[in-house]
Amino acid sequence: MKKITFLTLLIISNTLLFGQIDSLKRTKLADLGLYPYPDLTELENITLNEKLISAKPILSEDINNDFTNIEDLKWINSISKENNVITLGEYHYYKYIQNFRNRLFFAINTYDYFPLIVFENQYSITAYVNHYINIEDEVEAKKFFRTEIHEMIQSEETYDFLQHIRRWNKNHPNKKLSIGFSDIEHDYKTTIKKIIIPYFDKIETDTTVDIENLTVIDLGTLLPEFKVKLKRAKEQNLIGNYPFITHLYIGTVIDNLEALYKAYYFEFNYYRQKAIIRNLTDTAFLGKYWLNNKVFIHGGGYHTPTHFEYPDNGNFYREGSYLAYDFSLTKGKTYSIMAKGLALCLGETFEIELDSCLHVGSGYKSILKKYQKVYKRDIIRPQEYLFDNEINSYDSLMVKKAIQINSDAIMINSIDWNNILNETKNKNSKQYLNLKYYYDTYKRYDKHIYVVKSPLTKVRKKKMSE
């Protein structure tokens, strides 16, 4: 009989102990609706045939200082030349998706020229941000940011992107880039406080609004008052604190506040999407950019498919559908990319206190609080990746592909969906039905990127550090 040494017993004991801890940790996470990131051994039994999928690595890093780390994006070269609009749909709050967006935008402007990028954020900040990115003097630019737009730029990733654009515009004076924002005024309190009231105060300082206690309901009576004041401003040809703050600009901001009121008070999706399409295509808003130029659009995955045509004149419900099928300047000249995020970690956000931060959406608040909860209970570390739902075999295969090629993100070259569905139909009917849905949504985009793990984006604080 083989002698059992003390070392052997120690190894067996530790193995059992760590296995119990791992099991306990999984249970604690599952109770909170979270699931740990797997290793390759845990992915061995995926039923899908991985040979039916071809993928390549995509860098997760941000654009570098000279805009040259785009070697893995050469495939977009011919695409950028052949199309008038490229849309990028995303899963929100993934830092590495933001990095991919940055590199993609500068890649298409290296190969071709897309002078406008449009974000899913409120329209009113467009004029302010474009003024900022073109201020040449750094001291003046920092002052303008601190005093005028600090509260409008909610994430550190957006701030970093503005610095990239400033650097590009200084280095490429004949190929300057602009930024547009197409959404309704979700942060309507900041819009009124920072944009509307300072403008009307130049007529007379009687625009008193209780910002702290303001609600969407109050906009029903406040907006007509703004329109009366706007008529007076128009008669005076009133210019605000900067040349771009005209009565025409303020009029568009009021229109967008009205769209916010109708969306939140009456029917959200209908009035919001009507406003987004108007903001994109009406020449009083961003439409002037389309007349002789190409445009890059970055928004949530819902908004940006270009192979999803609605019946009954409903294409306005998604920007990608409208641009692909209805808008004359882009019809037949669109290309869409979907960037799906899977696992997140807290990264630098593990100690963030939302009360000290700028306005963020409810989705971000929910994710941050959920991950911070398990961190504060000492269940995870800040750099530990988790899924906020139990992923299926398809997404597990994407994770497996990424681990095999040692990458945080992958681009799909090809998927043999016919064989995947046929194989699954005979083995697992539930999985088959699920994959049918995946295939249907997959077809709505031209290209697919999977960011299998990423830190959470970082919300900015209300008070800027010196």
Side-chain angles (χ1 to χ4, degrees):
M1 181 177 178
K2 189 173 182 180
K3 187 176 180 181
I4 300 177
T5 65
F6 173 76
L7 180 60
T8 304
L9 288 172
L10 183 63
I11 292 172
I12 293 172
S13 175
N14 282 343
T15 301
L16 291 171
L17 177 62
F18 289 135
Q20 290 169 352
I21 292 174
D22 185 62
S23 177
L24 180 61
K25 179 175 179 176
R26 288 175 183 275
T27 300
K28 288 180 178 179
L29 289 172
D31 288 343
L32 296 168
L34 292 168
Y35 302 87
Y37 195 83
D39 57 30
L40 270 179
T41 58
E42 296 173 278
L43 297 170
E44 288 178 350
N45 297 322
I46 296 175
T47 55
L48 296 180
N49 185 350
E50 62 183 273
K51 293 181 179 179
L52 299 177
I53 298 178
S54 171
K56 64 181 292 186
I58 289 290
L59 294 178
S60 59
E61 65 190 37
D62 198 358
I63 192 72
N64 60 15
N65 286 333
D66 57 2
F67 308 100
T68 57
N69 58 334
I70 57 174
E71 286 294 309
D72 58 329
L73 302 178
K74 287 182 178 179
W75 51 271
I76 202 69
N77 189 339
S78 60
I79 292 165
S80 65
K81 291 178 170 62
E82 295 165 1
N83 293 282
N84 289 341
V85 61
I86 293 175
T87 68
L88 173 63
E90 68 159 18
Y91 276 39
H92 291 320
Y93 316 129
Y94 286 75
K95 180 180 179 66
Y96 291 165
I97 291 181
Q98 308 293 302
N99 290 351
F100 170 71
R101 182 271 321 281
N102 295 352
R103 293 193 310 110
L104 184 68
F105 183 56
F106 292 111
I108 63 176
N109 278 291
T110 298
Y111 302 134
D112 200 82
Y113 188 31
F114 284 68
L116 178 70
I117 181 171
V118 180
F119 289 97
E120 186 186 333
N121 204 334
Q122 51 196 46
Y123 161 80
S124 63
I125 68 177
T126 300
Y128 280 80
V129 167
N130 281 297
H131 180 78
Y132 167 69
I133 62 176
N134 287 299
I135 298 175
E136 293 190 5
D137 182 78
E138 287 298 329
V139 175
E140 184 184 344
K142 287 180 181 178
K143 180 181 178 182
F144 182 85
F145 187 93
R146 182 180 296 273
T147 58
E148 301 294 345
I149 66 172
H150 159 64
E151 294 179 51
M152 302 175 184
I153 308 302
Q154 289 98 357
S155 76
E156 294 291 352
E157 287 74 20
T158 302
Y159 175 82
D160 291 342
F161 182 72
L162 298 188
Q163 308 319 307
H164 296 325
I165 294 286
R166 282 180 52 76
R167 190 171 71 254
W168 173 280
N169 284 352
K170 285 183 178 180
N171 295 332
H172 303 82
N174 298 321
K175 211 176 186 182
K176 284 198 169 186
L177 305 176
S178 299
I179 302 174
F181 301 89
S182 62
D183 210 344
I184 55 178
E185 304 294 308
H186 295 288
D187 186 14
Y188 59 92
K189 292 184 179 182
T190 299
T191 301
I192 293 171
K193 180 178 71 173
K194 295 291 293 183
I195 298 175
I196 299 296
I197 291 177
Y199 180 73
F200 287 145
D201 276 352
K202 286 189 168 292
I203 302 176
E204 54 188 18
T205 56
D206 67 343
T207 310
T208 55
V209 179
D210 184 2
I211 296 293
E212 188 66 28
N213 296 305
L214 187 66
T215 67
V216 168
I217 297 172
D218 299 318
L219 294 179
T221 55
L222 196 57
L223 286 167
E225 295 176 16
F226 287 167
K227 291 181 179 181
V228 171
K229 289 180 180 291
L230 183 63
K231 288 183 180 179
R232 294 176 59 189
K234 183 178 180 181
E235 291 169 357
Q236 299 178 26
N237 195 26
L238 181 66
I239 304 297
N241 292 328
Y242 301 94
F244 61 84
I245 307 178
T246 65
H247 66 85
L248 292 173
Y249 163 67
I250 295 295
T252 61
V253 175
I254 291 173
D255 286 344
N256 213 42
L257 281 167
E258 187 171 42
L260 175 281
Y261 167 67
K262 290 178 179 179
Y264 277 67
Y265 193 72
F266 294 102
E267 171 54 45
F268 181 79
N269 211 28
Y270 176 83
Y271 285 107
R272 182 194 183 201
Q273 283 302 130
K274 280 286 189 181
I276 288 175
I277 296 302
R278 176 204 62 195
N279 295 348
L280 275 175
T281 60
D282 189 319
T283 54
F285 292 79
L286 300 175
K288 58 183 178 292
Y289 286 98
W290 297 94
L291 298 179
N292 298 301
N293 296 302
K294 299 181 176 186
V295 176
F296 180 93
I297 295 177
H298 179 212
Y302 169 88
H303 296 268
T304 50
T306 56
H307 300 280
F308 190 64
E309 185 173 12
Y310 277 77
D312 306 319
N313 299 313
N315 286 319
F316 72 91
Y317 274 106
R318 303 187 193 231
E319 298 94 293
S321 299
Y322 184 84
L323 297 172
Y325 298 106
D326 290 357
F327 192 45
S328 61
L329 297 178
T330 54
K331 188 175 181 179
K333 289 285 187 177
T334 65
Y335 189 87
S336 54
I337 304 166
M338 178 64 196
K340 181 176 181 178
L342 295 178
L344 282 167
C345 75
L346 282 167
E348 296 179 3
T349 68
F350 70 101
E351 288 184 322
I352 281 180
E353 295 180 1
L354 283 172
D355 288 343
S356 67
C357 294
L358 296 170
H359 171 87
V360 291
S362 58
Y364 184 89
K365 291 179 182 178
S366 175
I367 293 172
L368 181 64
K369 289 178 179 179
K370 192 174 184 179
Y371 278 62
Q372 282 186 340
K373 188 175 184 179
V374 294
Y375 167 73
K376 289 175 181 177
R377 292 184 181 183
D378 203 28
I379 300 173
I380 62 166
R381 303 180 306 279
Q383 304 301 328
E384 194 166 345
Y385 291 101
L386 302 171
F387 302 100
D388 64 0
N389 55 65
E390 198 165 10
I391 63 170
N392 59 25
S393 57
Y394 177 84
D395 288 336
S396 295
L397 183 55
M398 298 303 131
V399 174
K400 184 176 183 179
K401 287 280 185 180
I403 293 174
Q404 287 173 337
I405 58 179
N406 192 29
S407 181
D408 297 323
I410 59 173
M411 182 181 75
I412 303 302
N413 292 325
S414 64
I415 296 183
D416 188 344
W417 277 104
N418 287 333
N419 277 322
I420 285 178
L421 291 172
N422 287 335
E423 284 188 8
T424 310
K425 186 176 183 180
N426 299 324
K427 296 178 181 178
N428 188 324
S429 60
K430 184 178 179 179
Q431 186 180 76
Y432 170 70
L433 295 176
N434 191 31
L435 286 175
K436 281 180 69 176
Y437 171 79
Y438 263 60
Y439 178 44
D440 183 71
T441 56
Y442 186 93
K443 292 186 296 183
R444 300 175 187 181
Y445 284 86
D446 292 295
K447 181 66 71 175
H448 287 263
I449 307 293
Y450 289 86
V451 176
V452 298
K453 59 180 180 178
S454 166
L456 186 65
T457 54
K458 187 177 182 181
V459 63
R460 298 180 63 246
K461 293 185 176 181
K462 291 176 182 176
K463 292 184 178 180
M464 290 185 66
S465 58
E466 297 296 333

